[in-house]
Amino acid sequence: MQVWPGEAYPLGATYDGAGTNFAVFTEAADRVELCLLHDDGSETAVELRESDAFVRHAYLPGVMPGQRYGFRVHGPYAPERGLRCNSAKLLLDPYAKAVSGSIHWGEEVYGYHFDKPDKRNDLDSAPHTMSSVVVNPYFDWGDDRPPRTEYHHTVIYEAHVKGLTMRHPGLPEELRGTYAALAHPAVIEHLTELGVTALELMPVHQFVNDHRLVDMGLNNYWGYNTIGFFAPHNAYASWGDRGQQVLEFKSAVRALHEAGIEVILDVVYNHTAEGNHLGPTLSFRGIDNRSYYRLTDDPRYYMDTTGTGNSLLMRSPHVLQLIMDSLRYWVTEMHVDGFRFDLAATLARQFHEVDRLSSFFDLVQQDPVVSQVKLIAEPWDVGEGGYQVGNFPPLWTEWNGKYRDTVRDLWRGEPRTLAEFASRLTGSSDLYQDDGRRPLASINFVTCHDGFTLHDLVSYDHKHNHANGEDNRDGESHNRSWNCGAEGETDDPAVLELRARQMRNFIATLMLSQGVPMISHGDEFARTQRGNNNAYCQDSELAWVEWPGEDEAGEDGAAGHGLPRELLAFTRAMVWLRRDHPVFRRRRFFHGRAVEGTHDDLSDIAWFTPQGKEMTQRDWDRAQASALTVFLNGNAISEPGPRGERITDDSFLLMFNASPKTLDFVVPVDHGRQWQVVVDTARTDGVPPGTGAKVQAGDRLTLVDRSLTVLQRPV
């Protein structure tokens, strides 16, 4: 075999049409072998003799796409110094663009012996671990263009590749659960009819099924256990894992773009699947443990601000390079449109505290590629000072956990909620205005993958996670949920009617709020996880979306009510109401007064009691206050259109009755004479457009307990 010196950049395996260049960083190694793996189980070892700035490299003519490979790193195994090199372990390339196979758990993939944790383990891991794959970078993107949907037009749909598509009746069985399923017309049609503009995929970076879960007969379903930051997860590919997963993912992105749907990836750059000091040796640990991980004062152990056993070393230039190279790769080569960063507060930890000016944010800010896509933070981790909602830099948007909590509290009847609810409804200016951000910095959600589904939020007071095998100890215990009078499944018509109304209340509130709405997959037709609020290990029908059509009534005991289809129709109507009216998706915060230059003497927003009187401070401060009317003035939108034109819209009155009793609401005078009801969550159909009653200023409307009504006045 010919071996040429090759180049130190780019890192990873780079095929150029005639051969492949291999490059890997390690400061800890004495010697590195590139191992080419053959289908008969044998391997050909090539020592990487060339080294530039601790990057070992070589070029191998004739090595083609589909070739499996790994590294064996020779060097010190001295955990007391933070060094864990072990040439018996075949290691994944940190820059691998594809990964083949899966892990067969056993002592072979660990660097120590189970019965003697202090003794080095020299069992060969190659037959038991995954391998890296050389990929062909060439792909016919055609005329693919990123949709570049602006935030104020964005509706995000969070979904799991397998969970969304595994039970879809319109998909061929061989495509279910795969990237190809995302590109299928049946899935794309659902998303476009729903009004979704961005598909936010739960982790698709190559991840690992934990040893503990596999032993329990479970899987790491969610995928927040990354081992390959450049490789699409191979189990989601329908036709092979020797690079075919890359082509299949690209094809899915191309098809979604053709439908005008952006692709956002949920990414996990805060830790890896190698866990703590008792975890396996799969890649980074064996290549250069001290350069990749945050170690404690005793280098045998790992700093853990993620709850997963380790945290990446964010002050290491090589870790920062890895993350930035990965982000750029997914934008430039895979054409994704943005990222949601899991436990993003960990990315800000250079030393101990969360530092908003850390090197990572500096690098993102100045990067000409990454800075131009959607950047969404999950603004917390499990470390000290880790809850950082509202504190990320201006370029970023954030999952607004305070929005979720407040909206849940309002509709379940928690006292002293109304004032904060008003702030969340109008874009959370208390969180974002002081650093120059706009309402669109707030990614609003009521439910997501983590926690109860929308159906379960109104059906369970307590988590029911026994299927996870941890005696119901895992998962959040304080869910701000309310079961509406019965725990779990019931056939009580009154309870079922209230639950359906509460779901409509949550959907309507989400779509009427300033900011960017996010829907969790399947919530639009009331999917259930039977009270499991931590389905991270449930790769089964418990967590997969059950599509209406198989059983229109679902599994909530609502037979004959047609709940899934009714809720789906209502959700579509609310999304399109939002899309049709810029007053619900403003780019600037409300002023709370008349806006100069808009030719309207009325304030851009006004707040009223149910009696039609303007709210006073005393009204806001009442502990049991749970009802109000909000006036949104469509003739007082301060921001201009794309060509500098003035934006005008219809005006709306939003009437919220979150109290446990029926209330009469008076239509405020002096804010419009004639209105039409366009939304009424007390009705199962939510009032389809054009059929609502017409009302006059001063009229009384009766809102049943826990319901929401929207009135519209044409411009």
Side-chain angles (χ1 to χ4, degrees):
M1 175 179 293
Q2 286 186 310
V3 180
W4 298 352
E7 303 290 340
Y9 186 85
L11 291 165
T14 306
Y15 173 68
D16 64 4
T20 303
N21 189 82
F22 295 89
V24 60
F25 160 79
T26 172
E27 194 170 344
D30 297 328
R31 191 161 62 89
V32 176
E33 288 179 307
L34 165 68
C35 299
L36 302 180
L37 307 176
H38 310 300
D39 289 343
D40 62 3
S42 64
E43 61 184 63
T44 300
V46 177
E47 184 172 349
L48 302 182
R49 299 181 182 277
E50 298 293 327
S51 178
D52 295 294
F54 300 109
V55 176
R56 312 294 177 102
H57 54 88
Y59 180 91
L60 274 59
V63 170
M64 296 288 136
Q67 174 65 58
R68 295 184 301 120
Y69 71 97
F71 296 113
R72 294 189 185 273
V73 174
H74 301 257
Y77 182 82
E80 70 278 3
R81 293 191 286 133
L83 298 168
R84 294 179 178 267
C85 299
N86 186 340
S87 60
K89 309 306 167 187
L90 184 74
L91 304 175
L92 286 173
D93 181 357
Y95 277 71
K97 305 301 191 300
V99 171
S100 178
S102 59
I103 296 175
H104 304 287
W105 289 109
E107 198 169 300
E108 295 85 354
V109 297
Y110 290 83
Y112 62 92
H113 288 282
F114 291 167
D115 58 345
K116 297 178 181 178
D118 296 329
K119 183 180 178 182
R120 170 174 156 153
N121 173 350
D122 288 327
L123 296 173
D124 185 11
S125 71
H128 306 273
T129 193
M130 302 179 288
S131 57
S132 308
V133 180
V134 177
V135 305
N136 189 338
Y138 306 109
F139 179 77
D140 183 8
W141 282 103
D143 59 356
D144 180 72
R145 295 289 185 274
R148 295 195 179 281
T149 306
E150 294 183 85
Y151 271 118
H152 65 287
H153 289 297
T154 296
V155 176
I156 297 173
Y157 189 84
E158 186 200 29
H160 187 283
V161 172
K162 188 172 185 179
L164 178 66
T165 63
M166 197 64 187
R167 301 186 69 186
H168 195 300
L171 296 177
E173 274 201 41
E174 65 272 16
L175 295 187
R176 295 182 183 183
T178 70
Y179 302 120
L182 298 178
H184 193 277
V187 173
I188 290 179
E189 181 182 11
H190 174 74
L191 297 176
T192 54
E193 288 183 355
L194 187 58
V196 167
T197 70
L199 182 62
E200 182 176 304
L201 295 175
M202 291 173 65
V204 298
H205 287 174
Q206 185 69 47
F207 62 85
V208 171
N209 279 320
D210 316 52
H211 192 169
R212 178 185 68 87
L213 292 176
V214 172
D215 283 349
M216 295 169 64
L218 301 170
N219 283 309
N220 191 317
Y221 170 65
W222 284 353
Y224 292 94
N225 204 30
T226 304
I227 196 63
F229 295 105
F230 294 78
H233 187 59
N234 56 22
Y236 296 154
S238 65
W239 52 291
D241 70 354
R242 299 287 183 92
Q244 295 94 333
Q245 61 265 55
V246 178
L247 300 178
E248 190 171 325
F249 181 88
K250 289 179 176 179
S251 297
V253 172
R254 184 177 59 190
L256 288 160
H257 281 181
E258 286 176 1
I261 298 172
E262 294 183 307
V263 178
I264 298 172
L265 301 188
D266 193 338
V267 290
V268 189
Y269 292 111
N270 50 71
H271 73 279
T272 79
E274 292 186 303
N276 62 16
H277 62 290
L278 298 177
T281 298
L282 305 175
S283 180
F284 309 93
R285 171 175 283 142
I287 289 174
D288 196 330
N289 189 57
R290 290 193 305 199
S291 290
Y292 281 111
Y293 293 116
R294 294 186 69 195
L295 305 180
T296 65
D297 292 338
D298 182 344
R300 291 177 298 172
Y301 304 110
Y302 296 80
M303 189 81 74
D304 180 15
T305 58
T306 64
T308 60
N310 66 58
S311 301
L312 285 172
L313 182 61
M314 293 307 296
R315 66 174 180 268
S316 164
H318 302 288
V319 170
L320 291 170
Q321 180 186 9
L322 173 82
I323 295 174
M324 295 306 298
D325 285 349
S326 170
L327 291 169
R328 276 191 297 270
Y329 173 79
W330 285 94
V331 175
T332 59
E333 297 298 321
M334 308 294 264
H335 286 208
V336 304
D337 305 284
F339 305 94
R340 178 265 188 190
F341 292 80
D342 176 66
L343 300 180
T346 293
L347 301 176
R349 292 181 184 272
Q350 283 190 286
F351 298 96
H352 175 72
E353 71 285 349
V354 178
D355 177 10
R356 63 176 288 171
L357 299 179
S358 71
S359 300
F360 174 68
F361 294 127
D362 291 343
L363 288 171
V364 170
Q365 182 75 35
Q366 60 80 42
D367 190 277
V369 174
V370 180
S371 65
Q372 298 306 302
V373 300
K374 287 183 168 67
L375 301 171
I376 304 170
E378 181 188 32
W380 49 78
D381 65 14
V382 299
E384 182 181 345
Y387 192 76
Q388 293 291 316
V389 174
N391 291 333
F392 275 69
L395 189 66
W396 291 68
T397 62
E398 300 176 10
W399 270 27
N400 191 342
K402 292 186 176 181
Y403 177 94
R404 171 200 60 203
D405 295 346
T406 304
V407 171
R408 289 186 178 192
D409 280 348
L410 177 84
W411 286 113
R412 73 187 180 108
E414 193 71 9
R416 301 191 184 280
T417 304
L418 205 59
E420 184 169 0
F421 171 73
S423 179
R424 303 297 157 243
L425 182 74
T426 54
S428 296
S429 61
D430 58 323
L431 300 177
Y432 305 116
Q433 193 168 27
D434 60 346
D435 58 10
R437 287 190 284 177
R438 301 282 175 85
L440 302 166
S442 177
I443 305 298
N444 298 330
F445 65 105
V446 176
T447 58
C448 63
H449 70 273
D450 189 2
F452 282 142
T453 65
L454 182 62
H455 171 280
D456 293 358
L457 183 67
V458 302
S459 305
Y460 295 89
D461 281 354
H462 310 287
K463 63 185 181 183
H464 296 265
N465 297 353
H466 301 282
N468 296 355
E470 298 182 47
D471 295 323
N472 208 34
R473 294 189 302 268
D474 64 306
E476 177 61 59
S477 296
H478 183 47
N479 294 283
R480 293 181 161 88
S481 62
W482 178 46
N483 65 21
C484 298
E487 186 73 359
E489 294 185 16
T490 180
D491 57 5
D492 186 325
V495 172
L496 293 173
E497 182 180 348
L498 178 55
R499 288 178 179 177
R501 187 158 75 247
Q502 285 284 69
M503 284 189 275
R504 290 191 291 272
N505 289 335
F506 282 122
I507 291 291
T509 302
L510 180 64
M511 292 305 154
L512 297 171
S513 299
Q514 304 298 324
V516 180
M518 185 184 79
I519 303 167
S520 181
H521 67 326
D523 276 354
E524 69 272 28
F525 35 71
R527 84 175 182 98
T528 179
Q529 292 178 169
R530 302 184 186 90
N532 191 318
N533 73 351
N534 189 32
Y536 77 102
C537 57
Q538 296 297 326
D539 188 2
S540 67
E541 292 184 358
L542 180 71
W544 302 339
V545 172
E546 180 182 1
W547 290 76
E550 296 178 3
D551 175 4
E552 186 173 291
E555 297 183 10
D556 60 354
H561 286 262
L563 172 60
R565 292 203 175 277
E566 288 172 352
L567 186 62
L568 175 58
F570 179 77
T571 305
R572 285 173 176 163
M574 289 307 307
V575 173
W576 286 99
L577 179 70
R578 176 188 181 84
R579 291 189 69 174
D580 289 343
H581 293 285
V583 75
F584 297 126
R585 42 184 178 79
R586 291 175 52 125
R587 305 197 310 277
R588 296 177 182 172
F589 287 110
F590 289 100
H591 300 275
R593 52 174 170 75
V595 178
E596 186 177 349
T598 59
H599 315 296
D600 196 310
D601 295 333
L602 297 175
S603 173
D604 58 353
I605 189 170
W607 308 87
F608 301 91
T609 66
Q611 294 75 35
K613 306 296 183 183
E614 291 213 32
M615 293 277 286
T616 65
Q617 192 60 49
R618 184 177 180 182
D619 294 321
W620 288 114
D621 293 342
R622 284 175 51 235
Q624 299 304 320
S626 55
L628 81 163
T629 296
V630 188
F631 168 68
L632 302 181
N633 189 348
N635 202 35
I637 299 174
S638 57
E639 60 264 23
R643 294 177 175 82
E645 73 276 15
R646 181 172 169 239
I647 298 175
T648 59
D649 191 13
D650 297 345
S651 294
F652 290 86
L653 287 172
L654 318 180
M655 295 177 171
F656 296 89
N657 180 17
S659 72
K661 56 186 178 182
T662 297
L663 294 177
D664 284 342
F665 279 64
V666 176
V667 179
V669 296
D670 302 327
H671 284 73
R673 285 186 295 178
Q674 183 166 304
W675 301 81
Q676 183 174 23
V677 176
V678 291
V679 177
D680 181 359
T681 62
R683 290 179 48 163
T684 57
D685 61 3
V687 183
T691 66
K694 290 181 169 55
V695 297
Q696 307 290 325
D699 284 356
R700 289 181 178 272
L701 284 178
T702 299
L703 271 67
V704 302
D705 61 291
R706 298 183 178 90
S707 67
L708 184 164
T709 294
V710 178
L711 309 183
Q712 180 178 2
R713 174 171 61 82
V715 64

